[in-house]
Amino acid sequence: MLEAIKEHMDVIASDGGRIGRVDHVKGDQIELAKLDFDTGFKHRMIPTEWVSRVDEHVHLNLTEDQAKDRWTDKQ
């Protein structure tokens, strides 16, 4: 499933909220694009374990608020 994640795919929370766009997949982390309003114009990192499914979007098993509370800034 994770091999289906491609650059520029929207990342959608379980409640339908968009949290960003995929920049890269790095190991067990997805780096969200910096130039995106939903990420606050910062690179954000989310673990791949949050992914519930992938179709034309990356769908998470967390709500938008949960994901934004738990994502980390790129180090």
Side-chain angles (χ1 to χ4, degrees), residues 19-35:
I19 69 157
R21 185 173 26 90
V22 174
D23 194 8
H24 302 313
V25 178
K26 295 183 176 185
D28 64 348
Q29 297 281 309
I30 298 171
E31 181 179 327
L32 300 178
K34 178 179 181 177
L35 297 177

mmCIF file with all atom_site columns, all heavy atoms in Angstrom, residues 19-35:
data_model
loop_
_atom_site.group_PDB
_atom_site.id
_atom_site.type_symbol
_atom_site.label_atom_id
_atom_site.label_alt_id
_atom_site.label_comp_id
_atom_site.label_asym_id
_atom_site.label_entity_id
_atom_site.label_seq_id
_atom_site.pdbx_PDB_ins_code
_atom_site.Cartn_x
_atom_site.Cartn_y
_atom_site.Cartn_z
_atom_site.occupancy
_atom_site.B_iso_or_equiv
_atom_site.pdbx_formal_charge
_atom_site.auth_seq_id
_atom_site.auth_comp_id
_atom_site.auth_asym_id
_atom_site.auth_atom_id
_atom_site.pdbx_PDB_model_num
ATOM 1   N N   . ILE A 1 19 ? -4.928 17.804 5.132  1.00 0.00 ? 19 ILE A N   1
ATOM 2   C CA  . ILE A 1 19 ? -3.852 18.308 5.991  1.00 0.00 ? 19 ILE A CA  1
ATOM 3   C C   . ILE A 1 19 ? -2.604 18.689 5.218  1.00 0.00 ? 19 ILE A C   1
ATOM 4   O O   . ILE A 1 19 ? -1.674 19.241 5.803  1.00 0.00 ? 19 ILE A O   1
ATOM 5   C CB  . ILE A 1 19 ? -3.496 17.324 7.126  1.00 0.00 ? 19 ILE A CB  1
ATOM 6   C CG1 . ILE A 1 19 ? -2.828 16.074 6.594  1.00 0.00 ? 19 ILE A CG1 1
ATOM 7   C CG2 . ILE A 1 19 ? -4.709 16.994 7.975  1.00 0.00 ? 19 ILE A CG2 1
ATOM 8   C CD1 . ILE A 1 19 ? -1.999 15.377 7.658  1.00 0.00 ? 19 ILE A CD1 1
ATOM 9   N N   . GLY A 1 20 ? -2.561 18.398 3.936  1.00 0.00 ? 20 GLY A N   1
ATOM 10  C CA  . GLY A 1 20 ? -1.388 18.781 3.165  1.00 0.00 ? 20 GLY A CA  1
ATOM 11  C C   . GLY A 1 20 ? -1.245 17.949 1.908  1.00 0.00 ? 20 GLY A C   1
ATOM 12  O O   . GLY A 1 20 ? -2.176 17.272 1.471  1.00 0.00 ? 20 GLY A O   1
ATOM 13  N N   . ARG A 1 21 ? -0.022 18.011 1.352  1.00 0.00 ? 21 ARG A N   1
ATOM 14  C CA  . ARG A 1 21 ? 0.296  17.332 0.104  1.00 0.00 ? 21 ARG A CA  1
ATOM 15  C C   . ARG A 1 21 ? 1.639  16.630 0.279  1.00 0.00 ? 21 ARG A C   1
ATOM 16  O O   . ARG A 1 21 ? 2.569  17.190 0.880  1.00 0.00 ? 21 ARG A O   1
ATOM 17  C CB  . ARG A 1 21 ? 0.375  18.380 -1.016 1.00 0.00 ? 21 ARG A CB  1
ATOM 18  C CG  . ARG A 1 21 ? 0.589  17.861 -2.388 1.00 0.00 ? 21 ARG A CG  1
ATOM 19  C CD  . ARG A 1 21 ? 0.469  18.964 -3.455 1.00 0.00 ? 21 ARG A CD  1
ATOM 20  N NE  . ARG A 1 21 ? 0.770  20.313 -3.013 1.00 0.00 ? 21 ARG A NE  1
ATOM 21  C CZ  . ARG A 1 21 ? 1.986  20.869 -3.049 1.00 0.00 ? 21 ARG A CZ  1
ATOM 22  N NH1 . ARG A 1 21 ? 3.005  20.205 -3.519 1.00 0.00 ? 21 ARG A NH1 1
ATOM 23  N NH2 . ARG A 1 21 ? 2.157  22.088 -2.615 1.00 0.00 ? 21 ARG A NH2 1
ATOM 24  N N   . VAL A 1 22 ? 1.752  15.428 -0.254 1.00 0.00 ? 22 VAL A N   1
ATOM 25  C CA  . VAL A 1 22 ? 2.984  14.636 -0.131 1.00 0.00 ? 22 VAL A CA  1
ATOM 26  C C   . VAL A 1 22 ? 4.107  15.324 -0.894 1.00 0.00 ? 22 VAL A C   1
ATOM 27  O O   . VAL A 1 22 ? 3.958  15.684 -2.060 1.00 0.00 ? 22 VAL A O   1
ATOM 28  C CB  . VAL A 1 22 ? 2.784  13.205 -0.677 1.00 0.00 ? 22 VAL A CB  1
ATOM 29  C CG1 . VAL A 1 22 ? 4.102  12.440 -0.671 1.00 0.00 ? 22 VAL A CG1 1
ATOM 30  C CG2 . VAL A 1 22 ? 1.714  12.469 0.114  1.00 0.00 ? 22 VAL A CG2 1
ATOM 31  N N   . ASP A 1 23 ? 5.234  15.503 -0.202 1.00 0.00 ? 23 ASP A N   1
ATOM 32  C CA  . ASP A 1 23 ? 6.457  15.958 -0.852 1.00 0.00 ? 23 ASP A CA  1
ATOM 33  C C   . ASP A 1 23 ? 7.324  14.730 -1.146 1.00 0.00 ? 23 ASP A C   1
ATOM 34  O O   . ASP A 1 23 ? 7.676  14.486 -2.286 1.00 0.00 ? 23 ASP A O   1
ATOM 35  C CB  . ASP A 1 23 ? 7.190  16.954 0.046  1.00 0.00 ? 23 ASP A CB  1
ATOM 36  C CG  . ASP A 1 23 ? 8.275  17.723 -0.685 1.00 0.00 ? 23 ASP A CG  1
ATOM 37  O OD1 . ASP A 1 23 ? 8.377  17.607 -1.922 1.00 0.00 ? 23 ASP A OD1 1
ATOM 38  O OD2 . ASP A 1 23 ? 9.035  18.451 -0.017 1.00 0.00 ? 23 ASP A OD2 1
ATOM 39  N N   . HIS A 1 24 ? 7.619  13.940 -0.100 1.00 0.00 ? 24 HIS A N   1
ATOM 40  C CA  . HIS A 1 24 ? 8.432  12.729 -0.246 1.00 0.00 ? 24 HIS A CA  1
ATOM 41  C C   . HIS A 1 24 ? 8.006  11.710 0.806  1.00 0.00 ? 24 HIS A C   1
ATOM 42  O O   . HIS A 1 24 ? 7.470  12.085 1.849  1.00 0.00 ? 24 HIS A O   1
ATOM 43  C CB  . HIS A 1 24 ? 9.915  13.002 0.009  1.00 0.00 ? 24 HIS A CB  1
ATOM 44  C CG  . HIS A 1 24 ? 10.539 14.028 -0.861 1.00 0.00 ? 24 HIS A CG  1
ATOM 45  N ND1 . HIS A 1 24 ? 10.388 14.075 -2.214 1.00 0.00 ? 24 HIS A ND1 1
ATOM 46  C CD2 . HIS A 1 24 ? 11.353 15.072 -0.566 1.00 0.00 ? 24 HIS A CD2 1
ATOM 47  C CE1 . HIS A 1 24 ? 11.077 15.085 -2.715 1.00 0.00 ? 24 HIS A CE1 1
ATOM 48  N NE2 . HIS A 1 24 ? 11.653 15.713 -1.723 1.00 0.00 ? 24 HIS A NE2 1
ATOM 49  N N   . VAL A 1 25 ? 8.303  10.447 0.540  1.00 0.00 ? 25 VAL A N   1
ATOM 50  C CA  . VAL A 1 25 ? 8.237  9.410  1.558  1.00 0.00 ? 25 VAL A CA  1
ATOM 51  C C   . VAL A 1 25 ? 9.678  9.080  1.917  1.00 0.00 ? 25 VAL A C   1
ATOM 52  O O   . VAL A 1 25 ? 10.493 8.794  1.033  1.00 0.00 ? 25 VAL A O   1
ATOM 53  C CB  . VAL A 1 25 ? 7.505  8.144  1.060  1.00 0.00 ? 25 VAL A CB  1
ATOM 54  C CG1 . VAL A 1 25 ? 7.510  7.065  2.135  1.00 0.00 ? 25 VAL A CG1 1
ATOM 55  C CG2 . VAL A 1 25 ? 6.078  8.485  0.644  1.00 0.00 ? 25 VAL A CG2 1
ATOM 56  N N   . LYS A 1 26 ? 9.993  9.173  3.201  1.00 0.00 ? 26 LYS A N   1
ATOM 57  C CA  . LYS A 1 26 ? 11.344 8.913  3.684  1.00 0.00 ? 26 LYS A CA  1
ATOM 58  C C   . LYS A 1 26 ? 11.267 7.841  4.757  1.00 0.00 ? 26 LYS A C   1
ATOM 59  O O   . LYS A 1 26 ? 10.904 8.123  5.891  1.00 0.00 ? 26 LYS A O   1
ATOM 60  C CB  . LYS A 1 26 ? 11.969 10.181 4.262  1.00 0.00 ? 26 LYS A CB  1
ATOM 61  C CG  . LYS A 1 26 ? 12.184 11.279 3.236  1.00 0.00 ? 26 LYS A CG  1
ATOM 62  C CD  . LYS A 1 26 ? 12.867 12.468 3.853  1.00 0.00 ? 26 LYS A CD  1
ATOM 63  C CE  . LYS A 1 26 ? 13.159 13.515 2.801  1.00 0.00 ? 26 LYS A CE  1
ATOM 64  N NZ  . LYS A 1 26 ? 13.929 14.626 3.341  1.00 0.00 ? 26 LYS A NZ  1
ATOM 65  N N   . GLY A 1 27 ? 11.558 6.605  4.364  1.00 0.00 ? 27 GLY A N   1
ATOM 66  C CA  . GLY A 1 27 ? 11.492 5.499  5.316  1.00 0.00 ? 27 GLY A CA  1
ATOM 67  C C   . GLY A 1 27 ? 10.076 5.306  5.802  1.00 0.00 ? 27 GLY A C   1
ATOM 68  O O   . GLY A 1 27 ? 9.168  5.055  5.006  1.00 0.00 ? 27 GLY A O   1
ATOM 69  N N   . ASP A 1 28 ? 9.864  5.460  7.112  1.00 0.00 ? 28 ASP A N   1
ATOM 70  C CA  . ASP A 1 28 ? 8.527  5.282  7.680  1.00 0.00 ? 28 ASP A CA  1
ATOM 71  C C   . ASP A 1 28 ? 7.836  6.622  7.955  1.00 0.00 ? 28 ASP A C   1
ATOM 72  O O   . ASP A 1 28 ? 6.921  6.701  8.754  1.00 0.00 ? 28 ASP A O   1
ATOM 73  C CB  . ASP A 1 28 ? 8.593  4.436  8.949  1.00 0.00 ? 28 ASP A CB  1
ATOM 74  C CG  . ASP A 1 28 ? 9.377  5.106  10.076 1.00 0.00 ? 28 ASP A CG  1
ATOM 75  O OD1 . ASP A 1 28 ? 10.073 6.119  9.817  1.00 0.00 ? 28 ASP A OD1 1
ATOM 76  O OD2 . ASP A 1 28 ? 9.298  4.618  11.210 1.00 0.00 ? 28 ASP A OD2 1
ATOM 77  N N   . GLN A 1 29 ? 8.282  7.671  7.258  1.00 0.00 ? 29 GLN A N   1
ATOM 78  C CA  . GLN A 1 29 ? 7.720  9.010  7.427  1.00 0.00 ? 29 GLN A CA  1
ATOM 79  C C   . GLN A 1 29 ? 7.298  9.579  6.070  1.00 0.00 ? 29 GLN A C   1
ATOM 80  O O   . GLN A 1 29 ? 7.952  9.345  5.050  1.00 0.00 ? 29 GLN A O   1
ATOM 81  C CB  . GLN A 1 29 ? 8.754  9.967  8.039  1.00 0.00 ? 29 GLN A CB  1
ATOM 82  C CG  . GLN A 1 29 ? 9.211  9.591  9.431  1.00 0.00 ? 29 GLN A CG  1
ATOM 83  C CD  . GLN A 1 29 ? 8.197  10.009 10.466 1.00 0.00 ? 29 GLN A CD  1
ATOM 84  O OE1 . GLN A 1 29 ? 7.750  11.151 10.501 1.00 0.00 ? 29 GLN A OE1 1
ATOM 85  N NE2 . GLN A 1 29 ? 7.824  9.083  11.313 1.00 0.00 ? 29 GLN A NE2 1
ATOM 86  N N   . ILE A 1 30 ? 6.215  10.348 6.090  1.00 0.00 ? 30 ILE A N   1
ATOM 87  C CA  . ILE A 1 30 ? 5.793  11.102 4.915  1.00 0.00 ? 30 ILE A CA  1
ATOM 88  C C   . ILE A 1 30 ? 6.109  12.568 5.196  1.00 0.00 ? 30 ILE A C   1
ATOM 89  O O   . ILE A 1 30 ? 5.693  13.110 6.227  1.00 0.00 ? 30 ILE A O   1
ATOM 90  C CB  . ILE A 1 30 ? 4.284  10.935 4.647  1.00 0.00 ? 30 ILE A CB  1
ATOM 91  C CG1 . ILE A 1 30 ? 3.953  9.475  4.359  1.00 0.00 ? 30 ILE A CG1 1
ATOM 92  C CG2 . ILE A 1 30 ? 3.842  11.845 3.497  1.00 0.00 ? 30 ILE A CG2 1
ATOM 93  C CD1 . ILE A 1 30 ? 2.461  9.181  4.305  1.00 0.00 ? 30 ILE A CD1 1
ATOM 94  N N   . GLU A 1 31 ? 6.857  13.172 4.309  1.00 0.00 ? 31 GLU A N   1
ATOM 95  C CA  . GLU A 1 31 ? 7.153  14.594 4.422  1.00 0.00 ? 31 GLU A CA  1
ATOM 96  C C   . GLU A 1 31 ? 6.100  15.353 3.623  1.00 0.00 ? 31 GLU A C   1
ATOM 97  O O   . GLU A 1 31 ? 5.918  15.097 2.430  1.00 0.00 ? 31 GLU A O   1
ATOM 98  C CB  . GLU A 1 31 ? 8.546  14.890 3.873  1.00 0.00 ? 31 GLU A CB  1
ATOM 99  C CG  . GLU A 1 31 ? 8.933  16.345 3.983  1.00 0.00 ? 31 GLU A CG  1
ATOM 100 C CD  . GLU A 1 31 ? 10.332 16.604 3.463  1.00 0.00 ? 31 GLU A CD  1
ATOM 101 O OE1 . GLU A 1 31 ? 11.208 15.727 3.589  1.00 0.00 ? 31 GLU A OE1 1
ATOM 102 O OE2 . GLU A 1 31 ? 10.539 17.699 2.915  1.00 0.00 ? 31 GLU A OE2 1
ATOM 103 N N   . LEU A 1 32 ? 5.407  16.255 4.287  1.00 0.00 ? 32 LEU A N   1
ATOM 104 C CA  . LEU A 1 32 ? 4.401  17.075 3.618  1.00 0.00 ? 32 LEU A CA  1
ATOM 105 C C   . LEU A 1 32 ? 5.061  18.319 3.030  1.00 0.00 ? 32 LEU A C   1
ATOM 106 O O   . LEU A 1 32 ? 6.018  18.855 3.596  1.00 0.00 ? 32 LEU A O   1
ATOM 107 C CB  . LEU A 1 32 ? 3.298  17.471 4.594  1.00 0.00 ? 32 LEU A CB  1
ATOM 108 C CG  . LEU A 1 32 ? 2.533  16.311 5.242  1.00 0.00 ? 32 LEU A CG  1
ATOM 109 C CD1 . LEU A 1 32 ? 1.497  16.850 6.217  1.00 0.00 ? 32 LEU A CD1 1
ATOM 110 C CD2 . LEU A 1 32 ? 1.885  15.428 4.195  1.00 0.00 ? 32 LEU A CD2 1
ATOM 111 N N   . ALA A 1 33 ? 4.561  18.758 1.892  1.00 0.00 ? 33 ALA A N   1
ATOM 112 C CA  . ALA A 1 33 ? 5.146  19.880 1.165  1.00 0.00 ? 33 ALA A CA  1
ATOM 113 C C   . ALA A 1 33 ? 5.112  21.164 1.984  1.00 0.00 ? 33 ALA A C   1
ATOM 114 O O   . ALA A 1 33 ? 4.124  21.466 2.657  1.00 0.00 ? 33 ALA A O   1
ATOM 115 C CB  . ALA A 1 33 ? 4.420  20.077 -0.159 1.00 0.00 ? 33 ALA A CB  1
ATOM 116 N N   . LYS A 1 34 ? 6.183  21.909 1.888  1.00 0.00 ? 34 LYS A N   1
ATOM 117 C CA  . LYS A 1 34 ? 6.305  23.167 2.612  1.00 0.00 ? 34 LYS A CA  1
ATOM 118 C C   . LYS A 1 34 ? 5.403  24.252 2.035  1.00 0.00 ? 34 LYS A C   1
ATOM 119 O O   . LYS A 1 34 ? 4.785  25.013 2.774  1.00 0.00 ? 34 LYS A O   1
ATOM 120 C CB  . LYS A 1 34 ? 7.768  23.623 2.568  1.00 0.00 ? 34 LYS A CB  1
ATOM 121 C CG  . LYS A 1 34 ? 8.032  24.940 3.246  1.00 0.00 ? 34 LYS A CG  1
ATOM 122 C CD  . LYS A 1 34 ? 9.505  25.285 3.168  1.00 0.00 ? 34 LYS A CD  1
ATOM 123 C CE  . LYS A 1 34 ? 9.794  26.595 3.875  1.00 0.00 ? 34 LYS A CE  1
ATOM 124 N NZ  . LYS A 1 34 ? 11.231 26.902 3.876  1.00 0.00 ? 34 LYS A NZ  1
ATOM 125 N N   . LEU A 1 35 ? 5.319  24.351 0.736  1.00 0.00 ? 35 LEU A N   1
ATOM 126 C CA  . LEU A 1 35 ? 4.562  25.433 0.096  1.00 0.00 ? 35 LEU A CA  1
ATOM 127 C C   . LEU A 1 35 ? 3.093  25.060 -0.013 1.00 0.00 ? 35 LEU A C   1
ATOM 128 O O   . LEU A 1 35 ? 2.541  24.876 -1.091 1.00 0.00 ? 35 LEU A O   1
ATOM 129 C CB  . LEU A 1 35 ? 5.166  25.757 -1.274 1.00 0.00 ? 35 LEU A CB  1
ATOM 130 C CG  . LEU A 1 35 ? 6.596  26.284 -1.218 1.00 0.00 ? 35 LEU A CG  1
ATOM 131 C CD1 . LEU A 1 35 ? 7.135  26.509 -2.619 1.00 0.00 ? 35 LEU A CD1 1
ATOM 132 C CD2 . LEU A 1 35 ? 6.689  27.553 -0.393 1.00 0.00 ? 35 LEU A CD2 1
#
